[in-house]
Amino acid sequence: DSNTDFVLANVLDDEKRSQIINFVVQLQQEDGSFAGDEWGEIDTRFSYCALSILSLLGAMDRANVDRAVQYIASCQNMDGGFGSMKGAESHAGQVFCCVGALSIAKSLHVIRHPDLLGWWLAERQVDSGGLNGRPEKQADVCYSWWILSVLSILGRVDWISKDKLAGFIAKAQDPQDGGIADRPDDMPDIFHTFFGIAGLSLLGKLPQSKSSPTSSSTSSSTSLAYREIDPVYALPVDVVVRCGLSAQVFKGKDGAVQERLKHYEVLERN
Amino acid sequence: IMEVFVDLTPIPQDDGPERVCVIQYPTSFTLAYNYLRAVWAADELSERALRLSATCLKLNPANYTVWHFRRQCLNSLGLLSDKEAIQKDLNLAGTLGGSNPKNYQIWYHRRALLESYGARDFCDSELEYISAVLREDSKNYHAWSYRQWIIQSVDEEDLWQKEIEYASRLIEDDIRNNSAWNERWFAVHRGKRGNALSIDTTRMEAQFAIEKGAADPYNESPWRYLIGILKEQHQSGNDAATELIIEYEAKAYDARSVLIDADRDPDGCSNLTSVRIDLLEMVGDKESLQKASTLATGLANEYDLIRKKYWRLRADQLQQRLCVLSA
């Protein structure tokens, strides 16, 4: 695949690429799950990592994707969410790993109740506008990524209040040093700064094009154009397109698919 | 360290040709890890290597590679089948985890040890350890995952029963503890999916859930549990299930009195209203669907504006089902 070769040029030679693929593939277990290493910690985080790696390297056919999908499907809970393993509590971070993996595997159809999942995710929005990761826990900026990315894949981003979430993220920015914290008034860190910006990108709050010269601008600063982030691979959309990476997303209610997802396979909602 | 490893030459850390940022490790840290690298280079899996790994882990309990190396040493020394050695390592993990029970590696080490030796002999003491951690942080995701793994590995009926009681106690302590509710579901279903519970067990579980829900209708967890339990029965479609659902739809309506007594708007608690919508939808006759649709519209227009698009969609879907019934 020429696009993947573009990614690997000057970075990974054939031998190193093969080694990585072999390493990942031999971590797949009988039941389709993936271990993190040869000593075998199992977690749906590793399912996501494995499928993302294989997709990036153009080697999805080397793993048993059907079984990987079946394992992820078995991690669905009665509330519609997903956990780290079968039976584990639904957690927004694990939901991202599972739905992201299913998207890469083009197998979103195994989600038994996408509406229920979408609603469970929407219920994470609390009065402050922030999102928590599980019922009755505190809102945290990082869930702006873990949850919005899934809602984007599910075509249900409008099931939360985008403005209220954007407000929460904005309030979590430290006015002194500029970084973003997990919630307003806490100390910022790089982790939450990344997820805050990613969240704002998915919310469509970061302008894509520089404003025209005729628009009013009192400051001398140039207006910024931001790249868009892709909700499946957590890479800039232009990188995903350039590398020819594929995935699957649900159509939005109005039949529209977000502009940033147009290169992906689209699944109808039933 | 230098005396014990006098035969080895310490190997400094190789940060690559262009160091972006140099971490100022304390001297003790550098010394310990320099000798660890020497041990690795010599392919040594020995008693002294095991002791060195403990030193290195005390300096950085999150070092994944060192945990892995420690297990290799234990294996090589035949200690993975030695009950006393296993207990010592569990204790070590506990000591190191003390200040940070969210460290993935520490929890995985406990599990790896038990996977190797067998969980049965350590079941009671490990469950006790996990309970102690949960007393400090009742929602610690790692602790709960590990707990589920132990119970599922041992898989004995009285253990499942005790776990239902444990989950109940934690729910009594904090009805908002979603992890405890998840554990109750796990234990009641014996860790399996697929088979619905007996109608009697369903009734017991539904009753538990609605009592907790009524105690504070704004709390999400008991309502999710109730709907989950009843949906399982609903799927079977038998008469006993239908009767039960109708009964609980009425009970959910009655729970409004809790809000009235507290001088609150009985339709203002979106969690309770959403439960009523779900139950009315399950009942499925024209009157119930209409009621559900009206409730959903109320949420969209007034009571849960943050999720208004979802509730409008839900109201539309209910109207569609009504149209189909009326046709």
Side-chain angles (χ1 to χ4, degrees):
Chain A
D1 177 84
S2 67
N3 286 325
T4 326
D5 288 343
F6 174 85
V7 172
L8 298 173
N10 305 317
V11 178
L12 289 178
D13 57 32
D14 277 344
E15 197 196 336
K16 289 205 163 66
R17 176 179 173 272
S18 283
Q19 286 173 337
I20 293 174
I21 294 168
N22 291 336
F23 173 71
V24 171
V25 162
Q26 44 104 346
L27 290 172
Q28 186 166 27
Q29 309 296 301
E30 276 296 308
D31 63 1
S33 65
F34 282 86
D37 66 62
E38 70 192 80
W39 278 68
E41 183 190 355
I42 308 291
D43 190 312
T44 48
R45 289 178 292 140
F46 303 135
S47 298
Y48 174 78
C49 292
L51 292 180
S52 180
I53 291 168
L54 294 175
S55 176
L56 285 164
L57 297 180
M60 293 266 291
D61 57 321
R62 294 285 310 280
N64 189 332
V65 176
D66 281 342
R67 218 174 274 172
V69 164
Q70 289 319 310
Y71 177 75
I72 294 167
S74 77
C75 298
Q76 281 177 99
N77 293 317
M78 57 87 168
D79 51 19
F82 292 81
S84 60
M85 281 164 275
K86 249 183 269 208
E89 189 186 359
S90 297
H91 182 292
Q94 307 291 156
V95 172
F96 166 76
C97 293
C98 291
V99 175
L102 291 176
S103 170
I104 294 171
K106 298 189 192 159
S107 302
L108 293 173
H109 63 278
V110 307
I111 299 175
R112 279 197 292 275
H113 309 288
D115 276 350
L116 181 61
L117 173 57
W119 180 55
W120 187 86
L121 292 167
E123 282 290 325
R124 296 309 107 237
Q125 189 162 34
V126 296
D127 288 341
S128 66
L131 305 172
N132 61 27
R134 294 182 265 172
E136 301 298 324
K137 293 215 82 184
Q138 282 196 291
D140 184 322
V141 159
C142 70
Y143 293 111
S144 311
W145 166 261
W146 306 121
I147 290 175
L148 275 196
S149 53
V150 179
L151 287 175
S152 300
I153 294 168
L154 296 179
R156 292 156 165 94
V157 181
D158 55 350
W159 285 13
I160 58 148
S161 164
K162 292 193 231 180
D163 286 343
K164 287 198 85 172
L165 178 59
F168 179 81
I169 298 171
K171 281 199 215 97
Q173 183 182 23
D174 184 314
Q176 243 86 61
D177 67 20
I180 300 176
D182 57 356
R183 58 187 68 91
D185 299 329
D186 275 0
M187 269 193 61
D189 61 59
I190 288 264
F191 176 88
H192 291 96
T193 303
F194 169 71
F195 289 119
I197 294 172
L200 289 172
S201 174
L202 290 176
L203 288 169
K205 297 294 185 189
L206 302 178
Q208 256 78 70
S209 54
K210 295 183 196 288
S211 50
S212 70
T214 55
S215 70
S216 72
S217 169
T218 51
S219 75
S220 57
S221 62
T222 55
S223 55
L224 296 166
Y226 292 85
R227 294 159 86 184
E228 286 190 304
I229 197 159
D230 168 70
V232 179
Y233 291 95
L235 293 169
V237 171
D238 55 273
V239 172
V240 168
V241 169
R242 189 181 79 214
C243 296
L245 301 177
S246 61
Q248 186 188 57
V249 296
F250 274 105
K251 244 187 199 169
K253 183 190 76 156
D254 51 1
V257 170
Q258 286 176 268
E259 195 60 43
R260 76 179 77 203
L261 303 173
K262 284 222 159 106
H263 49 283
Y264 284 149
E265 190 180 288
V266 176
L267 186 62
E268 294 284 341
R269 276 160 71 154
N270 47 9
Chain B
I1 290 180
M2 287 167 75
E3 280 170 19
V4 173
F5 293 95
V6 69
D7 54 308
L8 295 178
T9 312
I11 301 175
Q13 181 164 298
D14 177 8
D15 286 335
E18 289 163 46
R19 300 198 295 178
V20 175
C21 162
V22 182
I23 298 175
Q24 302 299 331
Y25 299 108
T27 329
S28 55
F29 187 103
T30 309
L31 191 72
Y33 277 85
N34 284 356
Y35 275 101
L36 189 61
R37 279 181 280 272
V39 164
W40 285 343
D43 271 324
E44 187 178 320
L45 298 171
S46 62
E47 269 285 348
R48 66 176 186 174
L50 185 69
R51 285 199 303 276
L52 180 59
S53 76
T55 304
C56 289
L57 286 170
K58 281 176 191 136
L59 291 164
N60 180 5
N63 192 316
Y64 166 94
T65 310
V66 182
W67 280 112
H68 178 137
F69 174 69
R70 185 172 178 83
R71 286 190 288 272
Q72 287 179 308
C73 287
L74 289 168
N75 189 34
S76 172
L77 295 166
L79 295 174
L80 286 181
S81 46
D82 179 326
K83 195 170 175 185
E84 239 184 79
I86 299 282
Q87 189 59 60
K88 267 166 78 177
D89 250 64
L90 290 170
N91 296 343
L92 174 71
T95 314
L96 293 177
S99 57
N100 181 15
K102 289 194 178 176
N103 171 325
Y104 280 95
Q105 287 70 40
I106 281 173
W107 288 104
Y108 183 64
H109 190 63
R110 300 189 92 92
R111 177 170 161 164
L113 293 171
L114 262 59
E115 270 181 341
S116 187
Y117 186 88
R120 190 68 200 70
D121 284 358
F122 293 97
C123 181
D124 293 341
S125 58
E126 283 302 276
L127 291 180
E128 184 47 54
Y129 172 76
I130 298 166
S131 302
V133 172
L134 290 175
R135 274 195 286 277
E136 298 297 309
D137 175 7
S138 61
K139 302 180 187 183
N140 185 318
Y141 200 84
H142 306 279
W144 283 113
S145 294
Y146 179 54
R147 195 177 179 95
Q148 285 193 343
W149 176 78
I150 291 177
I151 291 170
Q152 191 136 43
S153 299
V154 175
D155 194 18
E156 281 166 19
E157 183 53 28
D158 62 310
L159 197 58
W160 289 111
Q161 287 293 347
K162 282 206 289 206
E163 192 63 4
I164 296 173
E165 284 162 27
Y166 179 72
S168 300
R169 275 205 307 281
L170 260 67
I171 290 170
E172 300 291 344
D173 284 347
D174 176 7
I175 56 172
R176 287 175 194 72
N177 187 339
N178 194 64
S179 307
W181 282 99
N182 184 73
E183 191 70 359
R184 191 188 175 96
W185 180 279
F186 172 75
V188 161
H189 287 81
R190 303 299 187 271
K192 291 183 176 51
R193 75 156 2 97
N195 301 325
L197 305 170
S198 72
I199 200 83
D200 289 335
T201 308
T202 300
R203 173 178 291 282
M204 212 166 64
E205 293 305 300
Q207 194 52 36
F208 181 85
I210 203 156
E211 276 168 19
K212 299 295 179 278
D216 177 6
Y218 291 90
N219 175 16
E220 224 184 303
S221 307
W223 298 130
R224 293 284 63 68
Y225 194 86
L226 176 67
I227 296 300
I229 286 286
L230 291 175
K231 258 200 195 150
E232 272 190 341
Q233 289 302 318
H234 179 61
Q235 257 129 43
S236 69
N238 63 51
D239 290 337
T242 311
E243 269 176 38
L244 194 63
I245 287 163
I246 291 172
E247 186 185 331
Y248 274 85
E249 192 279 306
K251 288 193 192 202
Y253 180 81
D254 290 341
R256 291 163 79 251
S257 64
V258 173
L259 295 160
I260 296 170
D261 289 346
D263 274 327
R264 304 280 192 107
D265 181 345
D267 294 320
C269 174
S270 60
N271 278 328
L272 176 54
T273 306
S274 79
V275 167
R276 294 180 56 212
I277 292 170
D278 282 344
L279 290 168
L280 288 164
E281 188 171 19
M282 276 191 256
V283 173
D285 59 38
K286 283 205 310 209
E287 198 190 324
S288 301
L289 289 176
Q290 186 53 63
K291 250 193 260 179
S293 173
T294 307
L295 287 174
T297 305
L299 289 176
N301 294 343
E302 198 176 343
Y303 294 115
D304 194 13
L305 293 172
I306 239 180
R307 280 163 282 270
K308 63 175 182 261
K309 295 229 169 88
Y310 170 74
W311 291 118
R312 278 198 204 124
L313 178 72
R314 202 65 200 281
D316 286 345
Q317 289 171 339
L318 287 160
Q319 281 299 322
Q320 274 170 34
R321 273 192 65 181
L322 253 175
C323 286
V324 170
L325 266 192
S326 308

